[in-house]
Amino acid sequence: MSVPADEPGNVAHAIFERFLHAGECREVLGCFGELCQQLGLQGSGLQLYHSLKAALNYWSAKALWSKLDKKAGHKVYDQGKACASTKCLVVGAGPCGLRAAIELALLGARVVLLEKRDSFSRNNVLHLWPFTIHDLRALGAKKFYGRFCTGTLDHISIRQLQLILLKVALLLGVEVHINVKFEDLVPPTHKAGGWQAVVQPSSSPLTHYKFDVLISAGGGKFVPEGFKRKETRGKLAIGITTNFINRHSRAEVEVAEISGVARIYNQKFFQNLYNKTGIDLENIVYYKDDTHYFVMTAKKQSLLKKGVILQDKADIESLLSPENVNRDALLSYAKEAANFSTNYHLPELEFALNHRDLPDVDMFDFTCMTRSENAALVRDYNGARLLLGLVGDCLVEPFWPLGTGVARGFLAAFDAAWMVRRWAAGTPPLEVLAERESIYQHLSQTSPDNTNKNISQYSIDPATRYPNINLQAIKPSQVRDLYLVGIVEVDHKRKSDNRLITAASGDVYEELLSWCQASTAGYRGVAVTNFTTSWTSGLALCALIHRFRPDLVDFDSVGTQDAVRIHQMMLDMAEQELGIQPVLSSIEMATMTEPDHLGLITYLSQFYEAFKTSPEVEEVSKKPLSPHGTRGAILFLSKLQKSRNLTRKRAQDSAQKDAEAKRSHRDTEPPRERAGENSDACYFCGSHVYILERASAEGRFFHRGCFQCQRCGATLRLGDYAFNEEDGNFYCSLHYPNLPGMDLSRHKTPALPDLGDADAATDPPLDAGSPCVSPKEGAPGPLQPTPAAPQQGEEPGAVEDAVDAGDVEEQELLAQPRGDAREEEGPGAEPQGVAEEGEESRGRRKIILTPLEKLSLSTLNLTSEAEPDPPPKPARLWLQAVPEALPAPWQGQDCWKEEEEEEELDMQKTLEESDSEEEEEKEKEEEGTDLGIMAELCLNLGKEDMYSTCEHTLSRRAREAHMKRFCKAQAIQRRLEEIEVTFRELEQEGIKLEKLLRDENGSPADQQTQWTNQLLYLVQKKNSLMIEESDLMIAVQELKLEEQQWQLDKKLRSYMNREETLKTPEDCRAEQETLAQLLKVVNERNLLIHIQEEKRLSELWA
């Protein structure tokens, strides 16, 4: 223990304690300056650190010295001599700038850091990856912030993270200057001079500091001259962040955090939110840290309707300007969204204050995300070289829902430090730049899954972090433009994009015509000479399909009497079996006129892209060819949509009392003709539809932007819509069952599922979506569970709604590609058969599960098999004892997959080292929980405690899977929005070209050919985007099934945890129904993966 601070000779100890616990930037700097003065220390760099360590012989400091010594002892730092003669200037004291400064100090460089502010005021919370947690623990984060990563989710506020890193930087000798703003660079005036900075105030001593490395971490709005920025634009995206005071009361502690919920796979929650409050969101996240932190993406129309935005404006900056925002309405909007998402369980929400002493609520635009085209450059003036590097937001602006900002920021800081090390070692400048750019290529794709799993070995050496990285991917000759000599002249005018002209310079028109002629040669009655009259009979299109897929059509049996019928049959076949969407109607194909030839060319180009690498036409392939690498995803979604439509139609028919009468009536009716005789007119708005903006579904043609749910206006996409033949309207999957006149009042509206431990609560949370509950009516009390409703935190009706709303009945579809699909599943479908048999007969056999079977079912992997689980969280040593604590009959059961066990063993080894260090430092006393003791106690657990431990493990895995699912959903959503913006750009170009080609005034033949080639180039771009969009929509289907499985799994475990003697007959029946639903969803996921694998193999064979 420390000696009382008021005894003689212990003033430094008291100052050090104040330094450890200082909570403001100025207080930290003041305490550190006072400590150095008290000990009589001067200087900077590692020399200051060693002097401080020798002078402060204090037990609380020794634990910190041991950590920093171990960090500094890594071989990559060469005992602090690797960059001993290097002088660095770091701009910005954000987390990434401070982290880069620490690494440069450990390399032995002299590091000066400047920050234009004098306080850390950002309460917003950052999600942490496992390696960032390990990295911060290695720097002694627990000594500075005892609650570091002690919650159910891994996160930290920006302010606390900055304080931790600032303290470490000061201890390692980094010179920190606040209230100093960097403005520009001053090149040397003579050969013996060095680079300097123009700063404000000009009286700062930094005006005389000469340096040879500049690391910019000043944020996205500050990028040094010479760097070029690249912008990716999505649909309008408005984010809202808000912080509420966290009083750490019992009621607040019991409210579960929300790792993230997204509309893309949980439409029901957001629809309930809108119905009750009028708030329309795309996603929402809730972290519990120093504050209650919420961040959400709001829709513009909702903000206008609620009076948050006063006037709608086209310019985003004007739209969100302070004078156009009602601040009080914004506060109300954020507070209501926070209350609803937490089921109104957070008591007395009071806004935290920002640095301006105003409620900490902010609204921002992240429609455009920017990134630098290069990570570094070198400036050479009068023989003096300056190495410039970027880290943080000025390198890559993070997409906040992914939670990648601080993780990739730290990786970039390590990469920048490695670059400086190579620079100091005398590596030629072009080689340094080429290596840095080679590493930079990986940054935007990094995730916990594709970085090295052994996080304890991470260092600034990129080979320790990125597996199989090629540091010579970019050659020195490719980065000559990054070596700037003399004064930099910045050209702010971007050159126009001439890719359209250059890419379309080839004669695509003639190439397509030649391919069609060769592919249809030798067929009866087919002679292709043009793109009009040669195709009116329908035989040419029939021959084209037969050439590559003879299994689909018998050409010899096709007559020539009804051209419209032949075209309709071929259009349907191409759409359903090849994934090729129609561009013209069958009537237009049969009466081909000159203006329609553009649509035909567009349609045939899809066949060309799908089969252009097929064998020579002289050889009729014995094996049917599949569309290789192009239409596979579109084909899959087309079949998926067809199956869903059939399933919904059957369900709707069975729900009607006069179902038999309706069927007999339909049998006597003639087959319904497909709508859409004119493909030029939009089915929804009636306006003209140009070729590039034309989309189709169910035989209807329309603008992509008009394809919306009839009920809620949500954007619809292929594979994710519902069509009602009765009224001819399209719906989202959520609203199709709720057609007018259909009574669905039996469904309860679900609130957000609880991601906390299963034992955290005994009563179900309040139904936030229930229309009869309002926060204005007083404090709500807990609902009484019904006999058949799950307890322990599960929301009544949540699972039923999730399954019924999606109602993804894909068994029939997924069995189509291979008839033996069900046979391969084996016993997996047996419980379903038992359930069906039970419905027909009251004498069904009840499925009785043993405790082992129940646990095995409860530990089903909830994440996609395509991606391995992320490493477990640090500081969870007690999990290692779980297998040993199991009774003998349970050991050896494969509740977890072997590969997961191997990853966990590697992680546990890392965590043991980390935890053993903490025990040596006696941090367990500060944290209040000794994880090592928990591990020992786990060995002696009884059967009931062992169940609780397994539940805790499963809960942790569920939280990790939920976070992973949310991040994946947000990445998909962002990419879909970017694709939508690109579609609009292509459509605008295509409309111009189509108008030119349809101009009756006439143009030279050469000009017409050039325009046609350009139009076909745009069509190819559109087709590739459609393929990517379809791949993403398949991923959406996977996410929805994962979400359904997680909800069903949680509900099933809530039943299993009850004593058998306490279960009512309704409980037993509900348990069996839930089990059958869960097995059904698992089978659907397995079959989906099976189909995707078949698609992948077919693409490889093609």
Side-chain angles (χ1 to χ4, degrees):
M1 290 184 61
S2 63
V3 183
D6 56 355
E7 290 191 10
N10 291 290
V11 177
H13 296 179
I15 297 174
F16 184 74
E17 285 296 327
R18 286 196 289 116
F19 170 75
L20 287 180
H21 300 100
E24 298 291 339
C25 174
R26 284 172 292 187
E27 183 184 0
V28 171
L29 293 172
C31 289
F32 187 76
E34 186 179 349
L35 178 63
C36 291
Q37 184 178 3
Q38 178 67 28
L39 298 175
L41 303 178
Q42 293 183 348
S44 62
L46 290 179
Q47 181 182 0
L48 176 63
Y49 167 68
H50 292 303
S51 300
L52 182 62
K53 184 175 65 171
L56 194 62
N57 187 18
Y58 177 42
W59 73 266
S60 183
K62 286 182 179 179
L64 189 57
W65 303 151
S66 64
K67 278 188 173 291
L68 296 180
D69 283 345
K70 182 177 180 180
K71 180 74 175 177
H74 196 284
K75 62 181 181 180
V76 75
Y77 302 118
D78 193 18
Q79 298 180 352
K81 301 177 182 177
C83 299
S85 59
T86 305
K87 296 180 180 179
C88 304
L89 177 66
V90 179
V91 179
C96 298
L98 286 165
R99 192 64 191 87
I102 289 171
E103 289 301 323
L104 294 174
L106 289 170
L107 287 167
R110 181 186 175 186
V111 185
V112 174
L113 183 145
L114 59 85
E115 168 60 43
K116 63 182 179 181
R117 301 181 181 89
D118 60 359
S119 64
F120 298 152
S121 57
R122 289 185 289 175
N123 292 315
N124 293 353
V125 179
L126 302 171
H127 171 62
L128 299 178
W129 290 5
F131 95 85
T132 55
I133 300 171
H134 185 274
D135 178 66
L136 291 169
R137 287 167 66 91
L139 293 175
K142 277 288 199 180
K143 295 296 296 182
F144 304 112
Y145 183 51
R147 293 200 302 270
F148 177 69
C149 283
T150 55
T152 57
L153 299 173
D154 296 324
H155 51 68
I156 189 173
S157 70
I158 298 176
R159 187 178 67 85
Q160 285 292 351
L161 181 57
Q162 286 178 284
L163 288 171
I164 291 171
L165 295 175
L166 174 63
K167 294 170 185 178
V168 175
L170 290 172
L171 292 175
L172 293 175
V174 176
E175 303 174 42
V176 179
H177 298 258
I178 60 175
N179 291 320
V180 179
K181 182 180 179 181
F182 178 90
E183 291 195 339
D184 202 356
L185 287 169
V186 179
T189 56
H190 51 85
K191 291 186 177 181
W195 288 83
Q196 294 174 279
V198 177
V199 298
Q200 290 293 336
S202 57
S203 59
S204 170
L206 291 183
T207 55
H208 306 293
Y209 176 60
K210 296 180 180 180
F211 49 90
D212 45 20
V213 173
L214 172 66
I215 302 296
S216 173
K221 295 183 179 180
F222 171 74
V223 180
E225 290 185 350
F227 289 92
K228 297 179 181 178
R229 306 287 287 174
K230 183 186 298 182
E231 180 183 275
T232 58
R233 179 177 291 272
K235 294 172 68 177
L236 178 63
I238 301 174
I240 297 176
T241 61
T242 181
N243 287 275
F244 299 98
I245 295 175
N246 187 354
R247 299 177 179 85
H248 304 285
S249 65
R250 181 181 181 85
E252 290 171 300
V253 169
E254 290 178 350
V255 178
E257 297 179 288
I258 303 170
S259 59
V261 59
R263 179 185 291 271
I264 200 170
Y265 61 79
N266 195 343
Q267 293 178 335
K268 191 71 176 178
F269 166 77
F270 293 99
Q271 188 62 41
N272 293 335
L273 171 64
Y274 178 76
N275 291 339
K276 183 174 178 59
T277 67
I279 294 173
D280 203 4
L281 302 179
E282 288 288 347
N283 51 47
I284 189 168
V285 173
Y286 162 49
Y287 288 152
K288 195 184 315 178
D289 209 272
D290 287 346
T291 61
H292 296 289
Y293 170 70
F294 292 84
V295 58
M296 61 202 81
T297 303
K299 292 190 175 182
K300 182 180 73 171
Q301 292 303 322
S302 171
L303 294 170
L304 287 167
K305 185 177 179 181
K306 298 286 286 184
V308 177
I309 297 178
L310 302 179
Q311 294 182 351
D312 191 4
K313 298 183 179 181
D315 179 59
I316 299 177
E317 188 173 348
S318 301
L319 181 73
L320 300 183
S321 61
E323 54 270 16
N324 196 41
V325 174
N326 184 331
R327 186 76 180 171
D328 292 335
L330 175 60
L331 299 181
S332 176
Y333 191 98
K335 190 171 185 177
E336 183 65 19
N339 272 320
F340 183 92
S341 61
T342 56
N343 301 332
Y344 301 96
H345 283 177
L346 282 176
E348 300 179 6
L349 283 180
E350 181 180 345
F351 289 102
L353 301 181
N354 58 20
H355 62 285
R356 299 186 182 92
D357 289 330
L358 296 174
D360 194 357
V361 180
D362 188 28
M363 188 162 59
F364 60 97
D365 163 54
F366 60 99
T367 303
C368 300
M369 310 299 295
T370 60
R371 56 173 292 154
S372 177
E373 293 185 0
N374 51 289
L377 57 84
V378 173
R379 293 188 61 178
D380 188 336
Y381 191 84
N382 280 339
R385 293 172 175 170
L386 175 67
L387 176 65
L388 294 94
L390 305 180
V391 298
D393 290 2
C394 63
L395 180 63
V396 179
E397 276 190 326
F399 181 49
W400 71 260
L402 300 183
T404 57
V406 68
R408 290 178 180 168
F410 276 24
L411 291 174
F414 297 161
D415 296 336
W418 176 257
M419 174 185 68
V420 176
R421 185 183 189 277
R422 296 273 289 160
W423 174 269
T427 307
L430 289 180
E431 291 185 19
V432 172
L433 293 173
E435 184 177 272
R436 178 68 187 97
E437 298 309 313
S438 299
I439 300 170
Y440 180 44
Q441 287 184 328
H442 292 259
L443 184 63
S444 293
Q445 307 302 322
T446 53
S447 71
D449 297 326
N450 58 24
T451 48
N452 283 332
K453 298 297 184 291
N454 192 359
I455 58 178
S456 64
Q457 299 299 316
Y458 278 22
S459 72
I460 62 174
D461 185 351
T464 65
R465 294 174 279 119
Y466 309 113
N468 306 318
I469 188 171
N470 180 11
L471 297 179
Q472 284 79 42
I474 295 179
K475 305 301 180 186
S477 59
Q478 297 175 266
V479 294
R480 293 186 184 277
D481 59 327
L482 301 182
Y483 191 95
L484 308 179
V485 180
I487 300 297
V488 176
E489 294 182 1
V490 182
D491 183 11
H492 296 283
K493 295 181 180 179
R494 301 301 300 269
K495 295 180 180 179
S496 60
D497 188 0
N498 294 322
R499 289 177 298 171
L500 176 62
I501 304 300
T502 56
S505 59
D507 198 343
V508 185
Y509 178 92
E510 291 297 331
E511 186 178 348
L512 177 62
L513 181 60
S514 299
W515 180 81
C516 290
Q517 290 171 337
S519 299
T520 57
Y523 281 88
R524 165 183 53 85
V526 177
V528 175
T529 58
N530 54 40
F531 287 114
T532 51
T533 57
S534 300
W535 300 84
T536 54
S537 67
L539 293 179
L541 182 58
C542 184
L544 189 64
I545 295 176
H546 182 269
R547 169 68 65 181
F548 303 108
R549 290 296 303 271
D551 58 312
L552 296 180
V553 58
D554 182 4
F555 183 83
D556 295 331
S557 65
V558 177
T560 59
Q561 292 80 11
D562 192 347
V564 175
R565 180 175 172 276
I566 295 175
H567 276 295
Q568 188 62 64
M569 183 174 64
M570 294 301 107
L571 290 174
D572 291 342
M573 193 172 296
E575 182 177 8
Q576 297 170 9
E577 301 297 335
L578 303 177
I580 296 177
Q581 302 296 306
V583 179
L584 299 171
S585 68
S586 57
I587 296 177
E588 290 171 323
M589 295 277 284
T591 57
M592 184 66 62
T593 58
E594 187 64 30
D596 292 328
H597 83 286
L598 294 177
L600 179 63
I601 292 173
T602 302
Y603 183 60
L604 294 176
S605 69
Q606 298 181 69
F607 287 90
Y608 176 68
E609 288 296 318
F611 299 112
K612 60 183 176 183
T613 58
S614 57
E616 293 296 327
V617 292
E618 290 83 5
E619 302 178 10
V620 177
S621 176
K622 297 180 180 180
K623 177 184 175 183
L625 296 175
S626 298
H628 51 82
T630 55
R631 320 305 300 183
I634 299 178
L635 170 61
F636 177 81
L637 286 179
S638 178
K639 289 191 173 185
L640 177 63
Q641 191 63 57
K642 180 181 178 182
S643 174
R644 283 179 171 174
N645 289 344
L646 289 173
T647 302
R648 291 190 178 101
K649 186 176 179 182
R650 290 170 184 169
Q652 192 176 29
D653 286 343
S654 63
Q656 304 294 334
K657 294 181 179 180
D658 56 344
E660 291 298 329
K662 283 182 174 288
R663 288 195 192 95
S664 61
H665 177 66
R666 281 197 299 269
D667 291 340
T668 59
E669 285 183 348
R672 182 191 297 266
E673 292 292 332
R674 289 176 66 105
E677 296 182 359
N678 183 9
S679 62
D680 289 344
C682 176
Y683 176 72
F684 298 102
C685 70
S687 302
H688 185 80
V689 186
Y690 291 92
I691 290 174
L692 258 294
E693 57 182 0
R694 189 175 301 172
S696 67
E698 307 297 329
R700 279 76 174 169
F701 298 92
F702 42 79
H703 301 98
R704 284 178 55 88
C706 293
F707 194 32
Q708 298 176 349
C709 173
Q710 177 70 17
R711 180 69 65 83
C712 66
T715 300
L716 302 178
R717 291 185 173 89
L718 180 65
D720 196 23
Y721 69 86
F723 177 68
N724 184 20
E725 291 187 358
E726 299 294 331
D727 59 11
N729 291 327
F730 291 85
Y731 300 89
C732 65
S733 57
L734 179 64
H735 287 119
Y736 180 79
N738 301 338
L739 292 175
M742 295 186 66
D743 182 16
L744 293 179
S745 59
R746 57 186 174 85
H747 292 301
K748 295 182 183 289
T749 44
L752 274 180
D754 183 9
L755 285 175
D757 295 342
D759 300 329
T762 56
D763 295 324
L766 181 67
D767 188 353
S770 176
C772 62
V773 178
S774 173
K776 299 178 181 179
E777 298 174 3
L783 297 177
Q784 296 298 327
T786 59
Q791 298 176 6
Q792 300 184 5
E794 181 61 41
E795 179 68 22
V799 178
E800 288 85 347
D801 279 335
V803 177
D804 293 343
D807 205 15
V808 185
E809 303 288 346
E810 295 147 352
Q811 293 288 90
E812 191 171 322
L813 154 76
L814 297 175
Q816 286 177 3
R818 291 184 60 171
D820 58 344
R822 286 188 180 275
E823 297 176 6
E824 290 181 2
E825 287 300 313
E830 249 179 61
Q832 248 182 328
V834 173
E836 293 171 0
E837 182 183 350
E839 294 175 2
E840 298 173 1
S841 171
R842 300 302 298 174
R844 67 179 182 182
R845 181 173 60 88
K846 182 180 179 181
I847 301 175
I848 304 297
L849 297 179
T850 65
L852 173 59
E853 292 171 333
K854 290 181 179 180
L855 181 67
S856 298
L857 183 60
S858 298
T859 53
L860 288 170
N861 183 20
L862 300 181
T863 58
S864 172
E865 294 182 26
E867 300 180 8
D869 278 348
K873 292 164 40 176
R876 297 292 187 271
L877 179 60
W878 59 273
L879 295 179
Q880 183 183 7
V882 172
E884 302 173 16
L886 295 176
W890 288 47
Q891 295 183 8
Q893 297 295 329
D894 54 344
C895 295
W896 294 277
K897 296 187 176 181
E898 293 181 3
E899 57 267 25
E900 292 175 346
E901 292 174 350
E902 293 174 1
E903 290 182 11
E904 289 196 6
L905 287 176
D906 292 339
M907 280 297 302
Q908 286 166 359
K909 183 178 179 181
T910 301
L911 301 181
E912 284 176 11
E913 297 173 359
S914 178
D915 286 331
S916 63
E917 293 172 8
E918 290 193 0
E919 290 173 7
E920 293 173 4
E921 300 159 10
K922 300 181 180 180
E923 289 187 357
K924 59 187 178 182
E925 297 178 4
E926 299 177 6
E927 298 173 29
T929 304
D930 188 345
L931 300 177
I933 293 177
M934 291 178 65
E936 296 176 6
L937 291 176
C938 193
L939 295 174
N940 301 320
L941 287 175
K943 199 166 185 178
E944 294 181 2
D945 292 334
M946 181 270 297
Y947 270 115
S948 177
T949 302
C950 291
E951 282 292 334
H952 192 87
T953 304
L954 293 172
S955 179
R956 176 183 60 81
R957 285 173 170 267
R959 287 195 299 270
E960 293 173 353
H962 195 273
M963 171 66 77
K964 189 174 181 180
R965 186 158 59 249
F966 175 74
C967 291
K968 185 176 181 181
Q970 294 311 299
I972 291 172
Q973 183 69 31
R974 176 68 185 186
R975 183 55 190 150
L976 286 173
E977 292 174 355
E978 292 174 355
I979 288 174
E980 195 65 36
V981 171
T982 307
F983 266 129
R984 287 202 296 265
E985 294 173 353
L986 291 177
E987 289 169 2
Q988 294 302 316
E989 293 291 334
I991 290 172
K992 295 177 183 177
L993 289 171
E994 187 173 347
K995 287 180 176 179
L996 291 173
L997 288 168
R998 293 181 184 272
D999 187 4
E1000 297 180 358
N1001 294 332
S1003 300
D1006 292 344
Q1007 185 66 61
Q1008 291 273 352
T1009 302
Q1010 182 182 0
W1011 288 338
T1012 303
N1013 289 334
Q1014 292 177 11
L1015 183 65
L1016 286 176
Y1017 169 72
L1018 293 178
V1019 169
Q1020 292 172 358
K1021 293 273 289 182
K1022 176 188 175 183
N1023 290 342
S1024 64
L1025 288 174
M1026 288 181 62
I1027 294 161
E1028 184 182 359
E1029 183 183 51
S1030 299
D1031 284 327
L1032 292 174
M1033 291 308 299
I1034 291 177
V1036 169
Q1037 306 310 316
E1038 291 178 302
L1039 289 176
K1040 289 184 176 180
L1041 288 174
E1042 287 178 25
E1043 180 72 12
Q1044 290 180 27
Q1045 181 175 340
W1046 177 80
Q1047 292 187 10
L1048 288 166
D1049 176 79
K1050 185 175 179 65
K1051 181 181 179 182
L1052 183 63
R1053 282 189 284 112
S1054 70
Y1055 285 118
M1056 290 179 174
N1057 289 339
R1058 303 181 194 178
E1059 292 290 340
E1060 292 291 336
T1061 57
L1062 300 179
K1063 291 182 181 179
T1064 65
E1066 290 82 3
D1067 290 339
C1068 296
R1069 183 163 53 253
E1071 182 177 353
Q1072 296 305 313
E1073 291 174 355
T1074 304
L1075 174 62
Q1077 289 175 331
L1078 179 59
L1079 291 174
K1080 179 182 178 182
V1081 171
V1082 171
N1083 287 337
E1084 288 174 353
R1085 286 190 64 193
N1086 289 339
L1087 287 171
L1088 181 63
I1089 294 171
H1090 173 72
I1091 294 299
Q1092 287 183 288
E1093 180 64 14
E1094 281 196 339
K1095 179 176 77 72
R1096 186 184 68 83
L1097 293 176
S1098 68
E1099 292 170 356
L1100 291 176
W1101 293 336

